[in-house]
């Protein structure tokens, strides 16, 4: 892995926030570097961290809920590793203050963009793994997730927005929602999807954006559920 130039930045507050001090600080710098900036960026570390996080959370849930079926375990894992959760944790660590972005991304508010914060959070997991080992990385994840793992339980609240919306409509014998990609912008490696979600029986139609079609559809479904709850 080529070296990014280490910036004249004190990472001590970040080390304290995440509870880990890097032996090789260049790994941390890479984890915080978005692809819009020059030099090594965090996509490969994000890929690695995403896989490690999913494995650790899956193993913990498997042991914690021996009577839960695959569907319940999958929904609980999705809740713990979904973008909203990762963005919250990234904000708790103050990651936005340390992100390294290109000029265009900086001007457009990239430091507050959920997708960038999510990727940086997962990239830090990958960086910790390369800087230490699986035992230490797993312990860090368990430390960060201690409160969430203590309170999570199987049930309706773990279902994603698309599933909740579909089940709500089916229970009331309404037609299922229709999702349609209305726009795709950006280069192939950095696309933004705009998706519409229509529920004709109820007169609801919303649009939402995401870094993938799946994320945009989930956000659109969440907005429809929000409208339904406000109307009831």
């Amino acid at each position: 892995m080529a070296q990014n130039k280490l910036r004249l930045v004190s990472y001590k507050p970040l080390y304290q926030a995440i509870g880990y001090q890097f032996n090789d600080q260049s790994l941390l710098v890479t984890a915080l570097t978005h692809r819009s900036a020059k030099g090594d960026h965090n996509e490969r570390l994000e890929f690695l961290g995403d896989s490690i996080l999913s494995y650790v959370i899956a193993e913990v849930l498997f042991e914690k809920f021996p009577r839960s079926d695959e569907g319940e375990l999958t929904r609980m894992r999705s809740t713990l590793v979904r973008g909203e959760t990762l963005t919250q944790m990234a904000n708790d660590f103050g990651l936005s203050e340390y992100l390294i972005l290109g000029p265009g991304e900086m001007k457009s508010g990239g430091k507050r963009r959920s997708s960038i914060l999510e990727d940086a959070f997962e990239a830090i997991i990958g960086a910790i793994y390369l800087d230490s080992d699986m035992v230490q990385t797993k312990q860090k994840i368990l430390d960060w997730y201690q409160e969430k793992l203590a309170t999570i339980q199987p049930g309706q609240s773990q279902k994603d927005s698309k599933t909740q919306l579909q089940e709500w409509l089916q229970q009331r014998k309404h037609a299922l929602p229709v999702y349609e990609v209305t726009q795709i912008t950006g280069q192939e490696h950095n696309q933004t999807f705009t998706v519409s979600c229509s529920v004709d029986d109820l007169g609801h139609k919303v649009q939402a954006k995401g870094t993938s079609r799946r994320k945009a559809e989930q956000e659109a479904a969440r907005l429809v559920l929000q409208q339904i709850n406000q109307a009831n």
Side-chain angles (χ1 to χ4, degrees), residues 191-209:
Q191 293 181 326
T192 297
F193 292 77
T194 302
V195 169
S196 67
C197 176
S198 304
V199 183
D200 292 338
D201 285 5
L202 303 178
H204 292 297
K205 183 172 183 178
V206 303
Q207 283 197 330
K209 295 182 179 181

Side-chain angles (χ1 to χ4, degrees), residues 128-158:
I128 290 175
Y129 170 74
L130 294 179
D131 193 61
S132 57
D133 53 35
M134 190 62 187
V135 173
Q136 291 189 63
T137 307
K138 179 179 178 179
Q139 188 57 56
K140 276 296 101 192
I141 293 172
L142 295 180
D143 290 345
W144 299 341
Y145 273 89
Q146 182 177 7
E147 184 176 341
K148 290 179 171 59
L149 287 169
T151 57
I152 196 165
Q153 293 293 330
Q156 172 71 22
S157 62
Q158 308 309 327

Side-chain angles (χ1 to χ4, degrees), residues 110-125:
K111 282 197 171 187
R112 297 183 299 275
R113 187 164 294 124
S114 294
S115 60
I116 292 177
L117 288 165
E118 295 165 28
D119 290 349
F121 178 83
E122 291 177 329
I124 284 178
I125 293 175

Side-chain angles (χ1 to χ4, degrees), residues 20 25 33-34 43 65-66 101 164 197 201 213:
Y20 182 84
Q25 189 169 287
T33 303
H34 186 252
E43 284 188 342
F65 300 103
L101 309 173
Q164 289 185 48
C197 176
D201 285 5
R213 176 172 181 167

